Amino acid sequence: MINEFKNKTILITGGSSGIGLSLINFFLKQNAKIINVSRRRPAIKNKNLKHLDFDLTNFKKYDSLIKKIPKMFGLIDYFIHAAGVHFIKPIRIISDTDIDRTIDINLKAPILFSKYFLNKEIFNKPSSIVLISSVMGVVGSSGQSIYSASKAGLIGFTKSLSVELSKYKIRVNCISPGVIKSPLFENYSKQVTSDMSKKVIESHPLGIGTFNDINFSVKFLLSNDSKWITGHNLIIDGGYSVQ
């Protein structure tokens, strides 16, 4: 089987933890070259991994950031936006800062990155893009209004951007994960009762997912195996959203 990711360059945001870190490990095993953009360096030592220490809300610095990237591994073949902000708060205590931070990272950052996709000195063509949304962008949940709004916006952005970029042979898709077994969920489980934690698990008919459920889905959407798919939101939630 041909490994189409070997020696290809993937730009990823938010690779210092969670889904982003898992994707970095996964694609390094595919012998891809990874450029991670985040405020913290991933705890990985690999010659095929480069890190750019950057705050994604520093929008005025995007031009200088992007200009650095081709000097590392050459042109970019794939882009994954995995950076995200998530918190649970009732709407009555949501602040302006909460709104700005969530929208800036979850939605504004990938929108601004997209401006550079057509730059032939930065991105190869054809190329493929995957944006990490959430099942909360598809269904509602108490205390997650701002988060849900940002992720729903990302899904809508994906659909329109995919049409705009299709003539340039650039595919744009997103995935919407449910709850997965992760340090984030483990921390949540420690802060709530065992009944509440059990309820979250039982709300996913197939149980909560794993990082690999996300990794292989992203691989599929980036790869030529999905060459006729664009503008799609792949829901990966163990049945949570269909109940």
Side-chain angles (χ1 to χ4, degrees):
M1 182 179 293
I2 297 174
N3 175 13
E4 66 180 276
F5 295 99
K6 184 176 182 180
N7 294 322
K8 296 291 186 178
T9 299
I10 302 174
L11 174 63
I12 183 168
T13 63
S16 60
S17 62
I19 289 174
L21 180 60
S22 175
L23 286 166
I24 286 178
N25 276 308
F26 179 80
F27 281 108
L28 284 174
K29 291 176 182 177
Q30 308 289 318
N31 294 312
K33 297 176 179 178
I34 310 290
I35 300 171
N36 171 64
V37 178
S38 65
R39 290 186 299 170
R40 289 183 291 132
R41 182 181 296 273
I44 304 171
K45 291 185 178 180
N46 189 299
K47 66 179 182 179
N48 284 336
L49 172 63
K50 303 294 184 183
H51 171 71
L52 285 171
D53 189 350
F54 189 78
D55 183 345
L56 290 171
T57 65
N58 195 350
F59 301 121
K60 292 182 179 179
K61 296 287 187 180
Y62 271 46
D63 279 342
S64 59
L65 169 74
I66 295 296
K67 288 176 182 177
K68 295 177 184 177
I69 291 174
K71 299 175 183 178
M72 294 181 169
F73 287 129
L75 299 184
I76 298 164
D77 298 290
Y78 310 99
F79 174 65
I80 304 170
H81 179 69
V85 173
H86 179 236
F87 60 86
I88 298 175
K89 271 189 183 182
I91 194 67
R92 60 185 173 81
I93 62 171
I94 291 290
S95 67
D96 288 348
T97 301
D98 293 330
I99 297 170
D100 290 344
R101 180 71 178 167
T102 304
I103 298 298
D104 282 353
I105 297 294
N106 294 357
L107 185 56
K108 189 173 179 179
I111 289 175
L112 290 180
F113 265 106
S114 72
K115 293 173 60 178
Y116 300 94
F117 295 161
L118 298 179
N119 190 324
K120 63 183 180 181
E121 296 178 354
I122 297 170
F123 278 85
N124 264 325
K125 297 178 186 60
S127 59
S128 184
I129 296 156
V130 172
L131 309 176
I132 309 298
S133 184
S134 167
V135 70
M136 287 299 114
V138 180
V139 300
S141 180
S142 179
Q144 301 197 61
S145 299
I146 307 306
Y147 178 72
S148 294
S150 68
K151 292 300 189 177
L154 193 60
I155 294 169
F157 174 64
T158 296
K159 293 178 183 296
S160 290
L161 185 65
S162 67
V163 176
E164 188 170 339
L165 299 187
S166 61
K167 61 185 176 183
Y168 302 103
K169 306 300 181 184
I170 300 174
R171 295 188 300 109
V172 188
N173 293 288
C174 69
I175 66 168
S176 290
V179 174
I180 63 173
K181 188 176 182 181
S182 66
L184 185 65
F185 180 69
E186 290 173 7
N187 288 335
Y188 166 81
S189 297
K190 292 175 183 177
Q191 297 173 33
V192 299
T193 65
S194 58
D195 285 344
M196 291 177 67
S197 181
K198 183 180 178 182
K199 186 177 180 180
V200 171
I201 296 172
E202 290 178 345
S203 67
H204 296 69
L206 296 181
I208 62 174
T210 67
F211 281 124
N212 262 343
D213 293 319
I214 309 303
N215 295 338
F216 282 102
S217 298
V218 172
K219 178 184 178 183
F220 169 70
L221 288 176
L222 286 182
S223 74
N224 284 327
D225 289 336
S226 62
K227 63 183 177 63
W228 209 42
I229 299 175
T230 194
H232 183 67
N233 176 39
L234 178 59
I235 300 173
I236 314 167
D237 67 353
Y240 174 87
S241 60
V242 297
Q243 294 192 91

